[in-house]
């Protein structure tokens, strides 16, 4: 805690995340397995008694100063909507939230698919929860963060990112069942097994991402309707046999990916982290071939990482760019990193950003 003039200022933070496995299944009532990164978004926050909200960030221009009553869908525009939107959603749910001054600093990279947006929302949520004495359960804070992103910013988000930022614990991945929102901590500490997860940010984001996302969602909904099922969660490979040729591979990705999450969790529960590599590889193949959401840069990162000694690798996140992950023996970290960088240089691509992901704690008070 520090003092600025008369006001008491405290700090809260929330982490970025990567998804270990369970990709593109959150809109099919599936399972996913994110874990929190050491990279965090920090907010310094102090209560204001005049009902105004001010915010600035070291990562983005355009600070804001507006009355909390003026926060709502589309207002404020730009990045501050992620922060102000959380206060709006908490107020809308009937909680006694007032104005605040907010200063944001972050080590989560923006727009790299590591969920800087949820990190910002969740840091604000835990700050508001404590500053206004709300004492809310984390799943309710997560719902307010999702509403901020969906309704105030107007961006589609399913809820995995906010659950990860609020609920993850160090040394674990978070098994999230998107059918009922239930979660379980699954042991995941690669360093204990002499392993590391590398996150390879390709630094590309192809324009078709948003349209293709909508098309995949629509295909999945069409497939479940054709099967007369509420979702593909309980579908088996045999159920899919009658589907049209355009829907079959899409549905096959969903069904096989949900099964792979279960297999990874069983291996982690059994202390067999080293053995999950082939499931990561199979996830990538399914996303690339059946779901068609990979791209040349992601395929290159994954292939080169494997050739240089990764036990398994896959794209992570929505696809068409963004990041890939690779499970790597620690003694191969440098070799894999160098090989990926060299391959991107040879192909004339922008240099990728490679970092090690250490399963870290969720949102909380810093001092
Ligand atoms: P991702 O969540 O994968 O990083 P998004 O497009 O969902 O990508 O969210 C990125 C946006 O979130 C940024 O463009 C910005 O508007 C906002 N944002 C995230 N972190 C910060 C920050 N530290 N300061 C200001 N804005 C931020
Ligand atoms: Mg985001």
């Amino acid at each position: 805690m520090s003092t600025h003039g008369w006001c008491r200022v405290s700090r809260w933070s929330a982490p970025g995340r990567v998804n270990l496995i369970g990709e593109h299944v959150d809109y099919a009532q599936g399972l996913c397995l994110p874990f929190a990164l050491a990279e965090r978004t920090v907010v310094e926050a102090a209560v204001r008694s005049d009902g105004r909200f001010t915010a600035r960030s070291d990562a983005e221009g355009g600070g804001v100063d507006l009355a909390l009553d003026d926060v709502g869908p589309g207002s404020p525009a730009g990045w501050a909507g992620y922060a102000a939107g959380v206060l709006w959603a908490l107020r809308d749910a009937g909680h006694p939230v007032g104005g605040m001054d907010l200063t944001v600093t972050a080590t989560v990279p923006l727009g790299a698919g590591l969920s800087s947006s949820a990190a910002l929302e969740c840091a604000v949520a835990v700050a508001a929860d404590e500053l206004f004495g709300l004492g809310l359960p984390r799943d309710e804070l997560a719902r307010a963060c999702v509403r901020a992103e969906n309704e105030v910013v107007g961006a589609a988000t399913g809820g995995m990112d906010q659950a990860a930022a609020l609920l993850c614990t160090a040394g674990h991945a978070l098994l999230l069942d998107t059918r009922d929102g239930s979660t379980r901590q699954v042991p995941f500490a690669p360093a204990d097994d002499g392993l590391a997860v590398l996150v390879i940010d390709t630094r590309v984001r192809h324009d078709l991402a948003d349209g293709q996302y909508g098309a995949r969602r629509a295909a999945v909904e069409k497939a479940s309707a054709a099967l007369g099922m509420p979702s593909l969660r309980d579908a088996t490979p045999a159920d899919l046999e009658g589907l049209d040729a355009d829907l079959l591979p899409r549905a096959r990705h969903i069904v096989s990916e949900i099964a792979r999450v279960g297999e990874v969790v069983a291996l982690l529960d059994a202390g067999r982290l080293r053995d999950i590599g082939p499931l990561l590889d199979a996830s990538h193949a399914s996303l690339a071939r059946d779901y068609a959401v990979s791209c040349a840069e992601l395929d290159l990162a994954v292939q080169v990482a494997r050739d240089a000694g990764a036990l398994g690798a896959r794209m992570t996140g929505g696809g068409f760019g963004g990041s890939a992950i690779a499970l790597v023996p620690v003694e191969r970290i440098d070799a894999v990193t160098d090989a990926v960088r060299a391959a991107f240089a040879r192909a004339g691509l922008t240099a990728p950003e490679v970092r090690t992901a250490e399963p870290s704690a969720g949102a909380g008070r810093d001092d």
Side-chain angles (χ1 to χ4, degrees):
M1 173 133 9
S2 62
T3 51
H4 286 207
W6 294 104
C7 334
R8 286 153 77 78
V9 178
S10 299
R11 275 192 199 88
W12 289 263
S13 68
R17 62 95 191 94
V18 287
N19 191 21
L20 184 59
I21 196 161
E23 214 64 76
H24 275 284
V25 296
D26 57 331
Y27 46 84
Q29 299 192 5
L31 303 168
C32 50
L33 194 63
F35 65 93
L37 302 174
E39 284 81 0
R40 298 179 80 84
T41 298
V42 181
V43 300
E44 241 181 45
V47 168
R48 282 177 75 111
S49 53
D50 61 358
R52 293 191 76 77
F53 174 80
T54 75
R56 56 200 163 93
S57 167
D58 69 345
E60 292 271 33
V64 297
D65 180 351
L66 78 171
L68 210 49
D69 288 340
D70 293 332
V71 177
S75 168
W79 71 267
Y82 292 94
V86 175
L87 303 186
W88 170 84
L90 289 169
R91 272 183 120 195
D92 198 59
H95 302 298
V97 167
M100 70 162 65
D101 290 321
L102 202 71
T103 304
V104 184
T105 52
T107 55
V108 185
L110 277 61
L114 303 181
S115 200
S116 68
S117 58
L120 175 56
E121 292 150 10
C122 295
V124 172
V126 290
D129 186 59
E130 191 173 335
L131 284 172
F132 298 108
L134 308 181
L136 295 173
R138 294 234 157 173
D139 58 343
E140 192 168 348
L141 294 179
R143 276 194 294 279
C145 294
V146 171
R147 285 196 70 198
E149 191 151 341
N150 289 340
E151 297 177 50
V152 174
V153 179
T157 178
M160 172 178 75
D161 301 347
Q162 292 78 7
L166 285 163
L167 296 171
C168 281
T169 57
H172 295 86
L174 182 77
L175 175 61
L176 171 62
D177 185 335
T178 65
R179 174 155 56 189
D180 60 9
S182 63
T183 58
R184 174 161 82 77
Q185 303 291 336
V186 179
F188 184 59
D192 292 356
D193 278 343
L195 301 173
V197 176
L198 293 187
V199 180
I200 304 160
D201 175 7
T202 63
R203 315 266 304 273
V204 295
R205 173 102 180 127
H206 294 294
D207 287 342
L208 65 172
D210 290 344
Q212 292 292 317
Y213 178 83
R216 294 302 175 280
R217 268 193 96 128
V220 168
E221 271 152 34
K222 226 167 135 184
S224 41
L227 297 175
M229 295 178 159
S231 76
L232 293 178
R233 169 64 180 268
D234 293 322
T236 64
D239 292 330
L240 307 183
E241 274 161 20
L243 284 175
D244 289 349
D246 56 331
L247 296 180
L248 176 62
R250 308 295 189 241
R252 192 166 54 211
H253 167 70
I254 302 291
V255 170
S256 66
E257 183 77 354
I258 293 171
R260 281 186 290 273
V261 177
E263 289 177 60
V264 167
V265 168
L267 288 170
L268 295 178
D269 280 336
R272 293 176 55 197
L273 171 48
R274 249 174 200 280
D275 295 335
I276 70 170
L279 290 159
L280 302 180
D281 291 344
S283 172
H284 187 80
S286 177
L287 286 157
R289 292 188 207 130
D290 277 349
Y291 220 56
V293 293
S294 188
C295 62
E297 295 87 349
L298 286 167
D299 290 345
L300 180 66
V302 161
Q303 190 55 52
V304 171
R306 284 181 201 144
D307 292 346
L311 303 180
R314 59 181 289 272
M315 55 162 275
T316 183
F320 303 106
S323 295
I325 56 172
L327 181 68
V328 176
V330 285
E331 66 277 10
R332 301 296 298 169
I333 291 176
D334 288 345
V336 170
T337 304
D338 292 348
V340 170
R341 289 209 178 111
F344 272 58
R346 268 198 309 277
L349 298 169
T350 305
E353 189 86 51
V354 185
R355 51 168 60 78
T356 305
E358 181 66 32
S360 299
R365 169 85 172 261
D366 283 7
D367 60 13

